[in-house]
Amino acid sequence: MPKIDLHTHSDFSDGTCTPEEVVHAALKAGVSVYALTDHDTTDGVLRAQKVCEEHRIFFTAGVEISTREHDHLHFTGYNIDLENAEFQAFLAQNRQNRRERIRKIIQQLITAGVDITEEEVFSRAPNTVSRAHVADALKAKGIVPNRQEGFRRYLVPGQPGYVPSAGVTAIEAIQHIKRAGGMPVIAHPGIVSEHWNFPAWTEAGLEGVEVFYPAHTFTMKQDLLAITRKYGLLATAGSDYHGPRAGRITTPGMQIPQPHYDKLLRRLFNR
């Protein structure tokens, strides 16, 4: 089966590698269709595109947008018009909302007796800041052994540093992607199944479902494929690769059955 990756992150958001390094990892893994989908920014896209063009693999300009409805209810967008001023202003506001959230998180941690400063966090995030950068700062100080433990002990609901997401609604995320000429897809839907609202999302313009994702079981993939058939949506695939130092998926690329691969090529590249 073909291997693609329409869900990856660089150090422009919470990934640990440059855009070029992420693409090279994808190439090494045999990926033939690629998208960089950093959180609330497209600033690394052209750098990733340059490497893809040099190696002649299909590339689509991507982004990932969080929502306030759940920490993991996210939507990716593909074929984004990078010059769309309204969309870039929307992303800039999202990044500002993130900064405000992180400041609140840091203050709560300080109040709880955690030794951390804004400088230690924001210096790690030249573009989009996230809770991952807080966790990395905690790791750098020896407070936690890794990023995942930083989340578990301090940054998830019920812990001292948790602050709810300041993102947009799911409908707004879909609509903003559409207005930028993009193709909206729900990311890793299997981990937010209790929040599914495919009728409303499809009406708003949702076009795809990230069916093939590392955390999805066989049963979940079958359920999601049934949803794509019911609502006329495309099935996509992504690894959510954050780089080898993130403690997550260490290899980019996901296999996708040929019929779904062919449909994606037609939609994204007119092939």
Side-chain angles (χ1 to χ4, degrees):
M1 286 190 289
K3 186 180 286 187
I4 73 173
D5 207 330
L6 295 179
H7 191 167
T8 65
H9 298 277
S10 76
D11 56 7
F12 276 82
S13 63
D14 57 348
T16 61
C17 298
T18 66
E20 292 86 355
E21 290 169 335
V22 180
V23 177
H24 281 295
L27 286 166
K28 186 176 180 180
V31 168
S32 61
V33 180
Y34 175 82
L36 182 68
T37 54
D38 278 320
H39 293 281
D40 293 317
T41 183
T42 59
D43 288 358
V45 165
L46 293 180
R47 286 172 52 177
Q49 181 178 11
K50 184 174 185 295
V51 180
C52 288
E53 289 176 347
E54 289 171 354
H55 293 271
R56 298 183 179 181
I57 70 171
F58 289 112
F59 176 87
T60 179
V63 71
E64 184 172 8
I65 298 171
S66 304
T67 76
R68 63 170 175 261
E69 296 173 24
H70 188 279
D71 284 326
H72 300 295
L73 181 55
H74 301 168
F75 292 84
T76 49
Y78 307 109
N79 280 0
I80 295 295
D81 175 8
L82 301 179
E83 303 301 320
N84 186 294
E86 179 186 356
F87 189 69
Q88 291 300 333
F90 164 69
L91 296 182
Q93 182 60 57
N94 286 356
R95 293 194 297 272
Q96 179 58 33
N97 292 343
R98 283 175 170 273
R99 286 189 287 271
E100 293 172 2
R101 182 192 190 193
I102 297 302
R103 289 191 180 98
K104 292 177 182 177
I105 288 173
I106 294 167
Q107 188 54 56
Q108 288 185 190
L109 289 174
I110 292 171
T111 300
V114 179
D115 179 20
I116 191 171
T117 67
E118 286 192 9
E119 172 61 23
E120 289 167 338
V121 175
F122 284 97
S123 63
R124 299 176 174 276
N127 198 284
T128 300
V129 69
S130 73
R131 289 181 297 165
H133 298 107
V134 180
D136 288 346
L138 294 172
K139 175 186 174 184
K141 303 195 77 169
I143 297 172
V144 295
N146 53 53
R147 181 182 280 188
Q148 287 66 38
E149 188 66 7
F151 272 85
R152 190 187 71 81
R153 287 173 54 184
Y154 294 103
L155 302 172
V156 295
Q159 299 306 316
Y162 180 71
V163 173
S165 172
V168 296
T169 67
I171 297 296
E172 289 169 333
I174 292 167
Q175 290 174 338
H176 276 285
I177 291 169
K178 290 291 287 186
R179 286 199 290 268
M183 169 185 157
V185 171
I186 181 172
H188 41 63
I191 63 177
V192 289
S193 57
E194 68 275 19
H195 294 276
W196 287 356
N197 191 355
F198 284 100
W201 296 342
T202 303
E203 184 177 351
L206 185 73
E207 294 188 49
V209 179
E210 191 175 62
V211 173
F212 304 98
Y213 181 79
H216 289 172
T217 64
F218 174 83
T219 300
M220 177 57 69
K221 285 185 281 190
Q222 296 307 305
D223 289 345
L224 291 169
L225 286 172
I227 286 171
T228 65
R229 291 190 293 270
K230 180 177 180 179
Y231 294 99
L233 302 171
L234 293 168
T236 73
S239 70
D240 209 357
Y241 180 73
H242 281 69
R245 298 183 300 280
R248 305 178 49 154
I249 302 301
T250 57
T251 304
M254 293 292 294
Q255 288 187 323
I256 184 169
Q258 191 72 45
H260 299 296
Y261 178 83
D262 293 340
K263 289 178 182 178
L264 280 174
L265 288 190
R266 286 196 294 271
R267 171 60 179 88
L268 293 173
F269 310 106
N270 296 317
R271 294 289 178 132

